[in-house]
Amino acid sequence: MTQFVPGKQAGIAARGLPSADVHIWLADLDGLEASQLQQFAQTLAPDERQRAARFYRERDQRRFTAARGLLRTLLGAYLYCAAPDLQFTYGRRGKPALAAQFDQQLHFNVSHSRGLALYGFTWGREIGIDIEYMRQLDDGEAIAERFFSERERVALRSLPQAQRHRAFFTCWCRKEAYIKAIGEGLSMPLDQFDVSLLPNEPARLLHVARNAAEATRWSLAELAPATDYMG
């Protein structure tokens, strides 16, 4: 996982992404100077600028502009292409991909929470990424009872109370990454597949209902983006 510093580290991407690798970038969306944010804004397509303008809070407009501009900057570096020239298509659930005239073997995914963003890039296979700020929840266990699978609920209940907060976000983040990777988003019921969540248990997709082979096709990796964040 590499910290993105505008103007200094985009060259790392330009040196190449080996076919067997996954590159993960971490970006501080709130740490950009006004001039940097303006540069990113100039790379956006009209529809992206319209999306930014629809946010009520100026802070959220800035974060969207930064996240999208950073995505374009990194993709442009990998593809040796000017960031403003990139075009996207979207899956039926909204997952972005490169348009047909670009190298569609480059797969990517983006997630942001509060002021931090994670980007994942790889060749020739789908990827999903998620970052979550582990905020305090009064209803975390109720959410788990409603949305997690039976296996996950049992595992969560088995933990001491002090460990359940982190385990909840471990589970939620892994589930989000998987449904983003397959392009289904929250249209796929979260209780129809199991992920690992216990402390010191390797990150794994354990089982997918009605598809015995699916879990063997995917790998999960836990990230530690920053204090109080799960990836």
Side-chain angles (χ1 to χ4, degrees):
M1 185 166 58
T2 304
Q3 178 77 38
F4 186 94
V5 178
K8 294 184 178 180
Q9 289 184 282
I12 295 175
R15 287 199 290 272
L17 170 59
S19 60
D21 286 3
V22 175
H23 279 187
I24 305 296
W25 295 83
L26 171 67
D28 179 3
L29 303 179
D30 293 336
L32 299 175
E33 297 179 0
S35 59
Q36 295 169 333
L37 190 63
Q38 181 60 31
Q39 290 175 359
F40 286 137
Q42 292 173 356
T43 70
L44 303 189
D47 66 303
E48 292 169 318
R49 293 175 186 154
Q50 292 171 4
R51 287 177 62 185
R54 286 198 292 267
F55 286 100
Y56 177 75
R57 296 179 179 176
E58 183 180 354
R59 179 191 64 189
D60 296 329
Q61 294 178 8
R62 292 198 306 268
R63 286 175 175 174
F64 177 86
T65 298
R68 203 68 178 198
L70 285 163
L71 172 64
R72 284 179 167 274
T73 297
L74 287 166
L75 284 170
Y78 285 120
L79 297 174
Y80 303 95
C81 173
D85 294 339
L86 292 166
Q87 297 179 30
F88 300 101
T89 60
Y90 297 89
R92 63 194 182 105
R93 303 297 181 185
K95 185 179 183 181
L98 289 164
Q101 64 266 42
F102 299 95
D103 191 339
Q104 293 178 297
Q105 287 302 302
L106 179 59
H107 291 257
F108 63 92
N109 203 231
V110 183
S111 178
H112 52 86
S113 180
R114 292 199 171 187
L116 293 184
L118 277 180
Y119 302 81
F121 300 88
T122 192
W123 293 107
R125 52 190 177 270
E126 294 294 347
I127 184 171
I129 198 162
D130 191 55
I131 182 172
E132 300 287 343
Y133 175 71
M134 294 188 289
R135 64 195 183 279
Q136 291 300 319
L137 294 173
D138 295 330
D139 56 350
E141 292 187 31
I143 293 172
E145 289 296 321
R146 179 178 178 185
F147 292 107
F148 288 2
S149 71
E150 181 179 0
R151 181 174 183 171
E152 292 161 348
R153 296 195 302 269
V154 169
L156 191 64
R157 291 191 214 108
S158 74
L159 293 172
Q161 193 68 38
Q163 295 182 353
R164 293 184 187 181
H165 176 71
R166 183 176 183 85
F168 170 88
F169 279 100
T170 296
C171 185
W172 187 271
C173 204
R174 292 174 184 178
K175 292 173 89 66
E176 282 270 6
Y178 172 64
I179 61 178
K180 290 181 69 180
I182 63 174
E184 290 298 317
L186 290 173
S187 66
M188 179 172 184
L190 294 178
D191 62 357
Q192 294 301 296
F193 63 99
D194 309 316
V195 297
S196 59
L197 61 89
L198 296 176
N200 302 318
E201 187 179 19
R204 287 180 57 206
L205 177 64
L206 300 172
H207 175 73
V208 179
R210 297 183 296 277
N211 191 338
E214 177 72 352
T216 66
R217 299 177 59 242
W218 295 92
S219 62
L220 282 172
E222 182 172 315
L223 304 172
T227 302
D228 295 329
Y229 282 84
M230 175 64 64

